[in-house]
Amino acid sequence: MESEGSCSKELDARIRYRLRMCIWKQWKTPQNRIKNLMKLGVDKDTAWITAYTGSRIAYMCQRRVMNFAINKEKLTRFGLMGLMAIDYKKPVKVISEDEKFMKQIEKWAVEE
């Protein structure tokens, strides 16, 4: 049986891979793909070759260019928090919008 850490790493890798696939598909046209790859630091020639390759989405998202352009650090900056960063022992309290609204009203009442 796999340890909890290696299972989380594998799931993180798969989630990043699927996100790259969603991003690639969202770009739709080769022109948009070139433009966005260049924004992410890929040189023009490599971006052009990658955008016009015509390969399957899954294959493209496993290539080095996509892994360089949309790497783990960039996904973290975009807001993807890996499973290893989550503290499962710490309880999470979810506050509904109604509770937030009521707390804000109480705060305003105290200020007046």
Side-chain angles (χ1 to χ4, degrees):
M1 185 167 183
E2 286 186 290
S3 69
E4 191 175 306
S6 64
C7 184
S8 294
K9 286 181 184 178
E10 179 66 27
L11 279 173
D12 277 347
R14 289 182 186 204
I15 290 168
R16 287 191 304 273
Y17 165 69
R18 295 297 293 187
L19 282 171
R20 286 185 192 104
M21 287 177 64
C22 291
I23 292 167
W24 185 257
K25 194 166 185 175
Q26 187 178 12
W27 290 344
K28 293 185 180 181
T29 64
Q31 293 85 6
N32 285 335
R33 291 174 180 160
I34 292 169
K35 179 180 68 174
N36 289 317
L37 284 170
M38 287 174 58
K39 282 182 186 177
L40 293 170
V42 178
D43 67 280
K44 187 175 181 177
D45 293 333
T46 306
W48 193 92
I49 291 167
T50 304
Y52 281 101
T53 190
S55 296
R56 301 178 322 269
I57 295 171
Y59 175 74
M60 286 308 306
C61 294
Q62 290 174 342
R63 296 199 54 205
R64 188 184 316 179
V65 173
M66 283 298 286
N67 287 326
F68 168 77
I70 306 170
N71 58 23
K72 187 176 181 178
E73 290 77 28
K74 288 180 184 171
L75 288 172
T76 303
R77 264 190 283 143
F78 294 149
L80 175 69
M81 189 169 74
L83 296 175
M84 298 297 287
I86 299 172
D87 185 8
Y88 293 105
K89 295 177 180 92
K90 182 179 169 186
V92 176
K93 182 179 180 191
V94 178
I95 300 174
S96 68
E97 291 298 320
D98 294 334
E99 289 178 41
K100 288 180 185 176
F101 181 69
M102 292 305 293
K103 285 185 178 184
Q104 188 64 38
I105 289 175
E106 290 171 4
K107 183 178 174 185
W108 289 335
V110 171
E111 290 175 358
E112 292 178 356

